[in-house]
């Protein structure tokens, strides 16, 4: 009975195993980072953590690749960009992300109010003016996210990217469709967002004294509107240069280059090496790098991984044995629920209520944390996220696949 309760349909049809690997790796890195909170002062850091890529940035690139591919295919199928295409795109995106988000957000607010009522103390929620921002994804629009539900900084960036990318494409189509091909319009849209956002970061980075640090640019919407665009650039390459995209030798070379660049970028920004920057007197230069060039570097590095992972269609060899592929697909499916549940709902509201009195207690808390994340995320996905997402097919038109465009 329990097996049936927690089992998901992980059939490989219509799924790309390599992309499932990327998504699963991204969420595991994020949850692993949050798991160390349970260890408190007993966590001394693991060297492998300094080499791991930023899981959130990996999510951005993968999301951009998938969403960008959908948008490009829809645009090419219709041969124009209009209001109908735009609204259909938004409807399908928001049916995927908003219901789960508002359910968890509402649950956190209700939990805080109930705890305050039971204790007779004032609630710990932010002021109403701040709280309302979370419903419109402006909690970190021009400043870093407040302490409440802080992990939503990345979701807000994604949501605003879903708004700006198609809007800019619509404007570019309206202005240049008579002179430019759709391929050129798509590329110009992507580059406009990437170059424009990087210019904004660069100009503000120059104007603000370096002593003020990295400025939290990583988690602010207006400084990260290019976050998913590097993945969209990969989707552009796949759609308009299929022969090169399918070139196995090129895929492998890009994978190796992407892995090296990603690991070096991760290590260059790790706590382990920052002390050396201070000792060598280059910490101000490092700070400027983190304000500016770090973001396109990590974006392009991870985008180079996508061609190979997209070509990894099914699990073979060891990956197909011992339930490994099934576990990876399962984690990929529940990754969004894991993202929403792991930190504030589970770690901060449940696990951290247990004092960390020893290293053994800390590791028991880590085990409890992982167990709750996997179980509750599976249930949330199976009984809410998946059914609600499936409703969008009744309210919106299905977006074209590559095979449909080739007919």
């Amino acid at each position: 009975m329990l097996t049936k309760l927690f089992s998901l349909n992980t059939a490989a049809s219509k799924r790309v195993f390599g992309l499932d690997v990327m998504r699963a790796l991204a969420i595991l890195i994020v949850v692993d980072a949050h798991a160390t909170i349970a260890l408190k002062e007993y966590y001394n850091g693991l060297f492998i953590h300094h080499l791991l890529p930023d899981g959130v940035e990996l999510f951005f690139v993968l999301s951009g690749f998938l969403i960008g591919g959908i948008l490009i295919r829809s645009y090419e199928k219709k041969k124009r960009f209009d209001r109908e295409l735009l609204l259909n795109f938004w409807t399908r995106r928001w049916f995927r992300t908003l219901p789960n988000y508002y359910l968890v957000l509402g649950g956190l607010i209700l939990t805080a109010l109930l705890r305050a009522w039971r204790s007779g103390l004032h609630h710990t929620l932010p002021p109403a003016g701040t709280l309302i921002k979370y419903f419109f994804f402006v909690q970190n629009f021009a400043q870093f996210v407040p302490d409440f539900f802080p992990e939503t900084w990345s979701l807000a960036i994604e949501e605003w990217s879903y708004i700006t990318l198609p809007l800019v494409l619509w404007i570019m189509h309206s202005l240049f469709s008579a002179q430019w091909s759709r391929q050129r319009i798509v590329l110009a849209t992507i580059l406009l967002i990437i170059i424009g956002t990087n210019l904004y970061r660069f100009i503000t980075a120059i104007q603000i004294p370096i002593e003020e640090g990295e400025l939290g640019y990583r988690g602010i919407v207006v400084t990260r509107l290019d976050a998913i665009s590097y993945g969209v650039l990969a989707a552009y390459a796949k759609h308009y240069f299929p022969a090169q995209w399918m070139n196995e030798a090129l895929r492998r070379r890009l994978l190796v280059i992407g892995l090296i660049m990603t690991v070096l970028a991760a290590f260059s920004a790790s706590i382990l090496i920052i002390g050396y920057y201070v000792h060598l007197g280059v910490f101000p230069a490092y700070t400027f790098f983190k304000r500016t060039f770090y973001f396109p570097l990590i974006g392009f590095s991870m985008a180079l991984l996508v061609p190979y992972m997209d070509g990894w269609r099914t699990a073979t060899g060891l990956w197909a044995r011992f339930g490994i592929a099934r576990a990876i697909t399962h984690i990929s499916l529940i990754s969004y629920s894991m993202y929403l549940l792991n930190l504030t709902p589970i770690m901060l509201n449940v696990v951290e209520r247990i004092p960390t009195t020893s290293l053994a207690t800390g590791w028991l808390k880590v085990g409890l944390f992982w167990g709750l994340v996997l179980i509750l995320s599976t249930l949330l996905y199976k009984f809410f996220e998946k059914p609600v997402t499936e409703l969008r097919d009744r309210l919106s038109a299905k977006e074209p696949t590559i095979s449909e465009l080739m007919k």
Side-chain angles (χ1 to χ4, degrees):
M1 183 175 179
L2 284 176
T3 302
K4 184 177 180 180
L5 179 65
F6 293 103
S7 65
L8 303 177
N9 179 18
T10 56
S13 60
K14 296 184 180 180
R15 299 196 66 83
V16 178
F17 182 67
L19 300 183
D20 277 339
V21 170
M22 287 186 71
R23 189 182 290 105
L25 179 62
I27 192 59
L28 290 175
I29 290 172
V30 170
V31 177
D32 175 62
H34 295 159
T36 61
I37 295 172
L39 296 172
K40 297 291 188 184
E41 66 272 16
Y42 297 100
Y43 174 68
N44 295 319
L46 296 174
F47 182 73
I48 187 64
H49 284 162
H50 301 293
L51 301 178
L52 290 175
D54 188 322
V56 175
E57 299 298 330
L58 193 56
F59 264 126
F60 283 151
V61 171
L62 180 59
S63 176
F65 175 67
L66 296 172
I67 298 305
I70 290 170
L71 194 59
I72 292 170
R73 291 194 300 272
S74 299
Y75 181 38
E76 286 291 354
K77 181 181 180 180
K78 210 166 189 185
K79 302 188 187 317
R80 67 180 189 278
F81 202 102
D82 55 20
R83 181 173 173 272
E84 181 185 1
L85 191 157
L86 181 69
L87 293 179
N88 190 71
F89 176 82
W90 282 342
T91 299
R92 295 188 68 80
R93 298 293 74 69
W94 289 335
F95 257 93
R96 174 71 180 85
T97 59
L98 298 192
N100 237 20
Y101 170 71
Y102 286 130
L103 177 68
V104 176
L105 176 62
L108 288 173
I109 295 171
L110 183 61
T111 299
L113 293 175
L114 286 174
R115 281 178 175 167
W117 176 71
R118 290 183 61 186
S119 65
L121 301 174
H122 192 269
H123 63 74
T124 57
L125 293 169
T130 300
L131 197 58
I132 197 72
K133 293 180 180 180
Y134 284 81
F135 289 89
F136 299 97
F137 296 99
V138 292
Q139 64 266 37
N140 59 316
F141 189 80
Q143 68 286 317
F144 201 68
V145 68
D147 292 336
F148 173 73
F149 211 4
E151 59 268 43
T152 58
W153 67 268
S154 55
L155 182 59
I157 289 171
E158 283 220 24
E159 294 300 330
W160 280 100
S161 297
Y162 295 162
I163 293 173
T164 56
L165 175 65
L167 278 179
V168 173
L169 181 56
W170 190 9
I171 292 170
M172 295 294 286
H173 174 80
S174 301
L175 293 175
F176 301 109
S177 59
Q179 299 88 20
W180 291 0
S181 66
R182 288 186 296 277
Q183 178 180 345
R184 178 180 287 189
I185 290 172
V186 170
L187 180 60
T189 298
I190 299 169
L191 294 180
L192 179 63
I193 294 173
I194 290 176
I195 295 171
T197 308
N198 276 279
L199 277 176
Y200 175 77
R201 279 196 299 262
F202 190 83
I203 292 170
T204 55
I206 291 174
Q207 292 175 335
I208 300 173
I210 207 72
E211 293 79 13
E212 295 190 26
E214 297 176 20
L215 306 176
Y217 278 2
R218 175 176 178 260
I220 299 174
V221 170
V222 294
T223 57
R224 296 305 310 281
L225 286 175
D226 62 329
I228 74 167
S229 295
Y230 305 97
V232 180
L233 195 60
Y236 168 87
K238 177 180 180 178
H239 187 88
Y240 293 109
F241 301 95
Q244 291 86 344
W245 187 267
M246 298 296 292
N247 186 311
E248 188 63 29
L250 180 59
R251 281 175 168 174
R252 290 181 182 275
R253 286 196 294 270
L254 293 177
L255 175 69
V256 172
I257 295 170
L259 284 173
I260 293 172
M261 290 176 61
T262 299
V263 170
L264 288 177
F267 187 69
S268 71
S270 70
I271 296 176
L272 183 67
I273 202 171
I274 288 178
Y276 291 98
Y277 296 147
V278 176
H279 179 71
L280 295 171
V282 297
F283 187 73
Y286 163 77
T287 302
F288 186 77
F289 165 73
K290 282 300 295 293
R291 290 182 181 182
T292 54
F293 303 115
Y294 172 78
F295 300 111
L297 172 63
I298 198 68
F300 281 122
S301 300
M302 292 179 172
L304 293 177
L305 308 176
V306 177
Y308 182 87
M309 303 306 285
D310 182 56
W312 190 0
R313 311 303 290 186
T314 58
T316 57
L318 182 63
W319 294 97
R321 301 173 61 187
F322 311 114
I324 296 175
R326 185 177 178 182
I328 288 172
T329 303
H330 183 105
I331 292 172
S332 176
L333 286 170
I334 67 171
S335 60
Y336 183 50
S337 291
M338 289 176 69
Y339 160 80
L340 289 172
L341 291 179
N342 83 94
L343 182 56
T344 300
I346 294 177
M347 176 57 78
L348 301 183
N349 277 281
V350 179
V351 177
E352 273 303 273
R353 292 182 172 271
I354 304 171
T356 306
T357 55
S358 65
L359 179 61
T361 303
W363 279 110
L364 286 173
K365 288 173 62 179
V366 170
L368 173 64
F369 169 70
W370 273 103
L372 289 174
V373 168
L374 292 172
I375 291 171
L376 296 180
S377 299
T378 299
L379 295 176
L380 179 60
Y381 171 81
K382 184 171 184 176
F383 295 106
F384 184 77
E385 180 184 341
K386 187 172 184 288
V388 172
T389 301
E390 289 173 348
L391 287 175
R392 66 184 180 180
D393 289 336
R394 303 179 187 177
L395 300 172
S396 61
K398 284 188 176 182
E399 290 147 330
T401 62
I402 294 178
S403 58
E404 288 175 344
L405 289 179
M406 295 176 65
K407 291 180 180 179

